[in-house]
């Protein structure tokens, strides 16, 4: 019985330490990612250059392992979603809300590989 108690007495602190290190590593990764991205304000300014109007909201999202900001803008009664790459600040997509194919502004910047055919490659 003493062996079992001693075993648990040693295993509990060891497992706690391992969990702490994993959690710490994840926190460090999140901080590094935050340092390497543009700010929400920068994303807002970039989006407003693409679509003039009033910003309704902005959120940071992850898609295919890539962070991007989704900026919603109301312009002339229409709501647009502008996707901005969180690292480079590049406009990835401009889409009218509710539009299946992203009623864009003919800049051919709707998808990531530049072919603008709206097909899922």
């Amino acid at each position: 019985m003493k062996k079992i108690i001693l075993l648990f007495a040693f295993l509990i602190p060891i497992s706690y330490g391992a969990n702490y290190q994993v959690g710490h590593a994840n926190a460090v990764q999140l901080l590094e990612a935050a340092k390497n991205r543009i700010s929400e304000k920068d994303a807002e300014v970039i989006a407003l250059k693409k679509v003039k109007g009033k910003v309704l909201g902005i959120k940071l999202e992850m898609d295919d392992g890539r962070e991007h900001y989704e900026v919603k803008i109301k312009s002339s009664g229409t709501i647009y979603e502008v996707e901005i790459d969180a690292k480079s600040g590049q406009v990835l997509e401009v889409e009218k809300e509710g539009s299946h194919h992203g009623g864009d502004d003919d800049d051919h910047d709707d998808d990531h590989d530049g072919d603008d055919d709206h097909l899922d490659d």
Side-chain angles (χ1 to χ4, degrees), residues 19-48:
N19 285 335
Y20 174 77
Q21 287 178 340
V22 169
H24 180 70
N26 288 340
V28 169
Q29 279 182 319
L30 289 174
L31 288 173
E32 284 297 314
K35 286 191 325 190
N36 293 326
R37 76 171 75 107
I38 65 171
S39 69
E40 283 188 3
K41 186 67 180 166
D42 290 339
E44 187 177 312
V45 168
I46 293 166
L48 286 171

Side-chain angles (χ1 to χ4, degrees), residues 50-51 80-82 91 93-96 102-105 110:
K50 202 69 170 164
V51 177
Y80 293 87
E81 291 180 0
V82 182
V91 176
E93 182 175 24
V94 178
E95 182 177 347
K96 284 185 185 177
D104 69 8
D105 53 8
D110 285 337

Side-chain angles (χ1 to χ4, degrees), residues 94-112:
V94 178
E95 182 177 347
K96 284 185 185 177
E97 193 167 83
S99 171
H100 178 67
H101 290 294
D104 69 8
D105 53 8
D106 293 324
D107 281 348
H108 304 293
D109 56 0
D110 285 337
D111 56 15
H112 304 288

Side-chain angles (χ1 to χ4, degrees), residues 3-19:
K3 289 182 181 179
I4 292 174
I5 292 172
L6 285 174
L7 180 65
F8 282 119
F10 285 112
L11 288 179
I12 290 172
I14 290 171
S15 66
Y16 175 76
N19 285 335

Side-chain angles (χ1 to χ4, degrees), residues 72-102:
K72 287 194 178 191
I73 300 173
K74 186 171 185 177
S75 177
S76 301
T78 303
I79 297 177
Y80 293 87
E81 291 180 0
V82 182
E83 278 187 20
I84 310 289
D85 184 280
K87 283 191 176 189
S88 69
Q90 176 186 2
V91 176
L92 302 174
E93 182 175 24
V94 178
E95 182 177 347
K96 284 185 185 177
E97 193 167 83
S99 171
H100 178 67
H101 290 294

Side-chain angles (χ1 to χ4, degrees), residues 33-34 37 60-63 65-69 84-87 92:
R37 76 171 75 107
L60 181 65
E61 295 186 342
M62 179 74 80
D63 189 23
R66 210 170 163 185
E67 288 184 320
H68 68 273
Y69 288 102
I84 310 289
D85 184 280
K87 283 191 176 189
L92 302 174

